Every structure is written in structure tokens, then in C-alpha cells.
Amino acid sequence: VYLEAYQPNAEKTQLMVATVSFFRGSVKTFETAPLKVADGLNLKSKTVPMRFSVPLDKLQPGRYTCQVSVIDPSAQRMAIWRSPVVLLP
């Protein structure tokens, strides 16, 4: 999973902690270990790249909701993005 977090007012990377989770209905079936991001700010676009590896063999084929959670500890804020995904055999 690749994503970019937007830090519009940053001059250096602000610490963030992120996870990727997969849900079937309301049941969480998998979650990555928390990823601490403390560097990588692109000063032109004000974005910070994040990459996660998800071992798909730990998930059964089918429909899921993928959720990305990003926490900004210094501002005590959290952003969540969700999208349906389908894993094929």
C-alpha cells in the first residue's frame, strides 16, 4: 500500500504514525504494525510518502474495507481513509 500524507505548513517532516487495516463487515481481519514516519517531506509538494507491505496470504479472498489511519501526535489529530477492495484467489 502506498500513500502520501499532506503536510501543507511543514518545513520539515512532522512525526506521524500510520496503520493499514482490513475489515470484513465490522470485524477487523488484519492490521499492519504501526509505521512511524519522521522524514521524507517533499518541500515542493509538501507530501510525505508512506509504504506498507501487506502479506495477502493472511487474508482470504473476498470483499474487504481497507482503512488507512494516520495519527499526528503533536497536533493530537487523526485522519482516516476507507475504501472497498476485493482480493481475488
Side-chain angles (χ1 to χ4, degrees), residues 4-14 39-49:
E4 294 178 341
Y6 184 54
Q7 295 185 342
N9 300 317
E11 294 302 319
K12 64 178 187 169
T13 306
Q14 299 166 355
D39 62 355
L41 178 68
N42 179 318
L43 292 173
K44 184 174 181 179
S45 66
K46 298 293 187 171
T47 58
V48 179

Side-chain angles (χ1 to χ4, degrees), residues 17 41 59 62 87-88:
V17 180
L41 178 68
L59 296 167
L87 297 180
L88 300 174

Side-chain angles (χ1 to χ4, degrees), residues 19-56:
T19 60
V20 175
S21 306
F22 287 83
F23 292 85
R24 271 205 151 148
S26 61
V27 177
K28 186 185 303 182
T29 58
F30 179 80
E31 183 172 65
T32 64
L35 174 69
K36 290 184 180 179
V37 180
D39 62 355
L41 178 68
N42 179 318
L43 292 173
K44 184 174 181 179
S45 66
K46 298 293 187 171
T47 58
V48 179
M50 297 182 193
R51 288 181 178 82
F52 296 87
S53 293
V54 177
L56 296 179

Side-chain angles (χ1 to χ4, degrees), residues 47-69:
T47 58
V48 179
M50 297 182 193
R51 288 181 178 82
F52 296 87
S53 293
V54 177
L56 296 179
D57 61 338
K58 295 192 183 268
L59 296 167
Q60 297 294 320
R63 296 181 181 275
Y64 292 87
T65 298
C66 176
Q67 175 177 301
V68 177
S69 304

